[in-house]
Each structure stands twice: as C-alpha cells, then as structure tokens.
Amino acid sequence: KGVEKLQVKIKRVRVLQLLCSVSVLVVANAALSGSMEAPEWQRTLRDELVQLGKEAQELTGSFCPRIENPSALEFLRDFVLPNRPCIITGAMEEWPARRQWSNEYLTGRLGEKKVSVNVTPDGRGDAIVDDKFFVLPEERLMTFAQFLAELYREGNDDVLYLSHQNDNLRSQIGEALLNDVPPSIPFVDDALGHGPDAVNLWMGDSRSVTTLHKDHYENLYAVIRGEKIFTLYPPTSLPFLYPHPYGIRRYRKEGGAWRICELGEQEGEEVKSWISVNPNAPDYDRHPLFEFASKTQVRVRPGEMLYLPSMWFHQVEQSDDTVAVNYWYDMVYGDRYAYHKFIESMVRQAHIK
C-alpha cells in the first residue's frame, strides 16, 4: 500500500510538472508575440514558477528518515527513484576506520604523504563574497602531518579543510587507508548498477562551511568521527533560492595578507552560477521568495551515512574534529535533469535574482 501511494505521488508530480511547463510556455509565447510587456510577462512567469515550486514541494516533501541498512531493492525503490534523502544506520559497523582512525593512526599511515588542502580566511570556500564574486579556496600541497599540525595549531586564523574533491582517497591517499573503508557501498552498487565515480576523504574543524549548492551525483556521505550538519532543500525549491551568475576568483595569501585574485589562464571557466542566499542568515528584503523554500536540517553522527540524492541543494557544516568519507555515484541524466534545466532557464527569464 505504501509503495502504491508513493507511485501515485510520483505520477501526480509528473503531471504537475507537465501542466506547469505548459503554462510557463504559454507565458513565454505571449512575451515573444508582443501581447505582454516585459515587466508584465516576467511577473506572470515568476508567479507560475512560485506556484510550481510550492505545489511540487508539497507533493515530494523534504523529510529525511533514518533507516536500518536497507537492501538494494528498498534503497532503489524508496529513495533513489523518488529522489528522497535518508540517513542510513547499521551499514558501517564492520568498517575498520570506525575503530582505528585516531589522529595518531592517521599520522602513522599518512604522515609524509602529500595531500591537497583547501585554505580560506573564514572557512567558507566555494562561496559568494561581497555579493560580487564566487571565490575558490587557496590550494596548498603539504604532508598530512603538516596538515594536522596546522589544523590544531592554537591561534591559527587560517582555516584548513581536507576537502579536495578529486577522488582524493583513491588518487592521493591510495592504499594507505583503502583497507579501512570499502571501495564502494555494495547495496548502492547493486541498486544503481555501477560503482562510484569518486571516493573522497574530508577532515576539518567547525569553522569550515560548504555553502549552499547542488551536485550531479548520488552522494553517500559516511561520518567516521564528529558530526555533520546538512541543511537540505529539494530541487523543487529552485525558484526560491535565487541562483545567479558570478565572476570567479580565488583566495591567495601573500605576505601574510589574504587577497581575492583573478584566475590564471589555465584555471577554467570565468563565470559560475551559485545560490545567492545564505540559509543561516537570509536577507528577506533582497530574497523575499526564500521564505517559501522547504528546509530540512539533519545531523549525521559517527557510524551513520547520509544518502543525498542528485540535484538536492545542501549546505554542510560540522563539529570540531570531524572525519568523513563520501562516495559519488554518477546520476542518470534523464527527464528529471532536463526538466530541472528547463526550470533553471525560466528562473533566469523571470529575473528572479
């Protein structure tokens, strides 16, 4: 009965998506035909998007239940297909990392191994600064022992975060720790039909914050030590989150002072679309629609694993002395992705910024 109800809800969402898409296209056609002035059709389009967001959020929900070690079928049916998050317990009991990963153990295994560390003046890497730029962290290459010494050095104003998202557990750290955690999550492999694209190690203190964004991955985030706090918004909240394009810069510390610098020629794209709103301190005068966004906040404790579905917006904070491993599985680029890109385009056309 529960599965049938869920299937009905999914069908209702798809019908709603179709109807709202048609209404949005009608508005766009009116604008193109000249029967509506620009401010008028933009207001109408915005109203359609707001209604879509409200109703879709109501249908899909934003709750995040705790479940005990699901089977591949349960995980696929109840969470992946409906694109719903959950916290998984009981799936990490046999991981040696749960018992072994003290700082002493990690130093013994990794002490002289080179790792890439993200460093910022305030802990907010990949973040909007002064509402002008999307600023990347400074990247420093150091030994793991140096990283730990700097992380715990009293009076160090620089915020260090081992968070380089380049499959660092396999590409940089390798065999030194791979026997302590599984190379993939078996029930997830079976549910999705493939293994992870990347496995990353995360380590930092409570000053580090990953600002609100989304990823095109099915994310399994496993906490070894400490606690992670995720603030979640479903993809249907997009019209309320004010995505905006920003020029990209990078933090650099030169002569003891932090600067925001332009990117070098080899550093890639020049503009990044990012969420304008800070969910911890929203400015409702500038972002009045944010009050409609459907927020869920969850705490992931040691031995627990968050399933964060693809395209869900999330901000991540943590307690001091937190260590985690995450597994990124590539998402299916189907109709849900195409629909989301369409809504992104309509949000830009409606000048929701």
Side-chain angles (χ1 to χ4, degrees), residues 101 103 106 152 201-204 221-228 318 320-325:
W101 279 13
N103 287 347
L106 293 174
Y152 292 103
L201 175 67
W202 306 75
M203 187 171 184
Y221 202 103
V223 175
I224 309 296
R225 285 167 27 193
E227 185 177 76
K228 287 278 185 175
Q318 60 192 9
D320 279 329
D321 196 36
T322 295
V323 182
V325 174

Side-chain angles (χ1 to χ4, degrees), residues 29-328:
N29 182 64
L32 292 172
S33 68
S35 60
M36 297 174 69
E37 296 295 329
E40 182 183 356
W41 73 256
Q42 284 170 351
R43 282 195 301 270
T44 304
L45 179 56
R46 183 193 64 187
D47 291 345
E48 292 288 344
L49 290 167
V50 168
Q51 187 63 26
L52 166 64
K54 287 180 179 179
E55 294 188 15
Q57 283 182 158
E58 181 181 343
L59 288 168
T60 59
S62 59
F63 51 96
C64 184
R66 274 183 164 79
I67 61 167
E68 178 78 17
N69 206 7
S71 68
L73 175 60
E74 290 169 333
F75 179 64
L76 178 65
R77 179 193 63 202
D78 297 341
F79 298 100
V80 177
L81 292 180
N83 198 235
R84 288 175 51 203
C86 64
I87 295 176
I88 298 163
T89 63
M92 299 169 56
E93 299 304 315
E94 303 303 318
W95 292 20
R98 291 284 321 281
R99 302 181 298 275
Q100 296 176 346
W101 279 13
S102 64
N103 287 347
E104 292 73 22
Y105 176 85
L106 293 174
T107 301
R109 301 289 290 174
L110 303 176
E112 296 307 309
K113 188 170 285 289
K114 294 283 189 178
V115 292
S116 184
V117 177
N118 290 329
V119 188
T120 61
D122 60 0
R124 297 174 65 84
D126 292 353
I128 306 305
V129 176
D130 297 332
D131 201 32
K132 292 181 180 178
F133 303 116
F134 173 80
V135 183
L136 299 165
E138 180 178 78
E139 296 180 7
R140 297 181 190 172
L141 192 63
M142 62 183 73
T143 68
F144 185 82
Q146 289 172 330
F147 162 67
L148 275 190
E150 287 297 298
L151 181 65
Y152 292 103
R153 179 166 63 85
E154 189 174 347
N156 184 6
D157 291 331
D158 294 348
V159 182
L160 284 75
Y161 194 18
L162 183 58
S163 59
H164 204 57
Q165 301 163 37
N166 62 342
D167 197 24
N168 67 355
L169 189 57
R170 297 188 294 195
S171 64
Q172 287 190 344
I173 294 169
E175 295 181 2
L177 293 182
L178 281 179
N179 289 330
D180 297 341
V181 296
S184 63
I185 311 298
F187 72 85
V188 181
D189 297 352
D190 291 342
L192 300 180
H194 56 83
D197 279 13
V199 184
N200 300 304
L201 175 67
W202 306 75
M203 187 171 184
D205 61 26
S206 61
R207 295 176 295 172
S208 292
V209 177
T210 303
T211 61
L212 194 62
H213 70 290
K214 70 178 187 302
D215 296 312
H216 299 129
Y217 287 102
E218 310 294 350
N219 189 356
L220 279 295
Y221 202 103
V223 175
I224 309 296
R225 285 167 27 193
E227 185 177 76
K228 287 278 185 175
I229 301 98
F230 286 79
T231 302
L232 306 178
Y233 298 89
T236 48
S237 291
L238 176 65
F240 314 132
L241 300 182
Y242 295 87
H244 188 71
Y246 292 92
I248 303 177
R249 299 291 187 271
R250 185 181 292 279
Y251 279 120
R252 300 195 193 282
K253 194 170 188 180
E254 300 173 351
W258 282 101
R259 298 177 55 219
I260 294 176
C261 303
E262 294 186 0
L263 297 185
E265 292 183 2
Q266 306 302 317
E267 291 194 90
E269 57 188 330
E270 298 180 356
V271 176
K272 183 77 170 179
S273 179
W274 207 253
I275 300 303
S276 305
V277 185
N278 178 354
N280 290 347
D283 183 343
Y284 290 109
D285 290 333
R286 294 185 59 232
H287 304 127
L289 298 180
F290 184 65
E291 67 172 310
F292 301 123
S294 182
K295 169 183 171 180
T296 297
Q297 191 168 77
V298 298
R299 293 178 179 269
V300 189
R301 305 181 182 97
E304 296 181 336
M305 183 187 306
L306 173 68
Y307 166 55
L308 179 61
S310 58
M311 311 291 284
W312 273 64
F313 297 94
H314 54 287
Q315 176 167 288
V316 191
E317 299 163 86
Q318 60 192 9
S319 65
D320 279 329
D321 196 36
T322 295
V323 182
V325 174
N326 88 299
Y327 298 79
W328 268 338

